[in-house]
Amino acid sequence: MFIKEIDYRIRLLLVITIILFCFIVFRVLYIQIFEYDKLSSLANDLWSRDLPLKADRGLILDRNGVVLADNITTTSLVLIPNQLGDKEKTSLLLSEALGVTKEEMDKHVYKESSIERVHPEGRQLSYDVADYINSLDLPGVYLVKESKRYYPYEDSLSHVLGYVGIDNQGLSGIEFEYDDVLTGEDGAIKYYSDAKGNTLDLSQIYVESKSGNNVSLTIDIKVQQSLERELDNIVDMFLPDMALALVMDPNTGEILGMSSRPNYDSNNYSDYSLEELSRNLPIWASYEPGSTFKIITTAAAIEEKVVDLEKDTFYDTGSVIVSGSRIGCWKSKGHGFQTFLQVLENSCNPGFVELGNRLGKDTLFSYLDKFGFGKKTGVDLNGESKGIVFDLDRVGDLELATTAFGQGVSVTPIQQVTAVSAVANGGNLYKPYIVSSVSDLDNDIISSNSPELISKVISEDTSLKM
């Protein structure tokens, strides 16, 4: 009886052992076949380390292929704390090389991480500093390639181009508006190490970085340089608080030149105030257009046939009373009898009050809307304003009168240039634009812009007369 019981236990133990063995074999096979990729990936993540290689941003070019925003290669400092030898010595030498305190460098050297990027002290190092650090031959200290944005024309076109931060991200202008297009794909040098940071005897893998796409502008650098020179002359002569200039092809809406003062050097944007950096005046500033607005009023009056410039006359006494307010002409004694062509030639405010009355508020303000005032043009730059136009229900006789000669309304320079272009080009209001195309590294066009007609605002006959 006792022997039979022992025999039973042995057989039971054998069965259990066989079952466990089969389970282990099955589990090993399952892991090898069904979970191999997952576990291999997890193991690879534990072993692998990346030394980052920053990608170049795409170039920004003018309409003729001249480079306006380029890249220069710099180096950055990366530490692998577990590979560092004498950390005190390393921290001291690196702090001296970078010109920072040892306490600041200790934060990087003694940080418990697999890889530590020394930021911002170790970013975009000069050649001399990088060469010196390399000569120290410190274990666990690496210099990796990094790209730095470079603007060869310095402060020219600065508000349009914008600038990038230390991480190569667009922060303003074209750099910001087209950041996703210009940003490339970073690469890396992949190596393997154990938990203590010791390099494993496995092959390194080089993953090449890929530059971003190129952006071509409608800007002509020769026009831009002429524009910049004249703005500098204006500032030197008159010391204005601000100055701006905008050049547009009236037949397409392409912007050929744009600049303002104060401006800044995009290479050294950190030396300037946020106000200087953020105000692209040709699309941001609002101002009373004054007599330049009379172009729009005259075009509307001709289109609506409420005036014949050469036959209709107006007697200017030097002023006119509207709702108890006196509106004067620049010539205090007046111009006397004039044709309305002479009213335009003489920029006579009382004459334009009469044109405003002939048009009426509904008609005049409908033309303001047609010409794009009081709303953004949609130009492909960030920071555009929309100006200020009276709400129609708040327009009385005085508001109608002042609007007719360009006071009481507020426009942006790009609105005014776009509207006047429509008067000159046959009556076509085009959407202004500054990016002509986006292309890849092989110069194949990915996307492109072309003239976009918003509406026909006046007839070709009216345009020809204007």
Side-chain angles (χ1 to χ4, degrees), residues 287-289 293 365 368 388-390 402-403 406-411:
Y287 69 103
E288 279 191 338
F293 203 72
F365 277 78
L368 266 60
I388 302 171
V389 175
F390 289 117
T402 57
T403 299
Q407 293 182 14
V409 294
S410 177
V411 305

Side-chain angles (χ1 to χ4, degrees), residues 131-199:
D131 189 51
Y132 174 70
I133 292 175
N134 188 57
S135 69
L136 295 174
D137 196 25
L138 297 169
V141 175
Y142 295 87
L143 293 169
V144 296
K145 170 188 174 292
E146 189 167 37
S147 178
K148 181 181 179 181
R149 204 56 155 166
Y150 171 64
Y151 302 91
Y153 291 92
E154 298 176 341
D155 57 1
S156 293
L157 202 66
S158 55
H159 286 99
V160 170
L161 296 176
Y163 57 94
V164 300
I166 197 168
D167 287 318
N168 250 5
Q169 77 280 26
L171 298 178
S172 178
I174 295 293
E175 298 280 24
F176 173 80
E177 199 72 8
Y178 287 82
D179 187 54
D180 58 337
V181 171
L182 291 164
T183 300
E185 297 178 10
D186 292 342
I189 297 175
K190 294 180 178 289
Y191 69 97
Y192 296 89
S193 66
D194 60 21
K196 294 183 178 180
N198 300 312
T199 303

Side-chain angles (χ1 to χ4, degrees), residues 30-43:
Y30 178 82
I31 291 172
Q32 286 291 326
I33 296 173
F34 296 103
E35 293 195 338
Y36 175 81
D37 291 339
K38 175 184 176 182
L39 294 176
S40 178
S41 177
L42 290 172

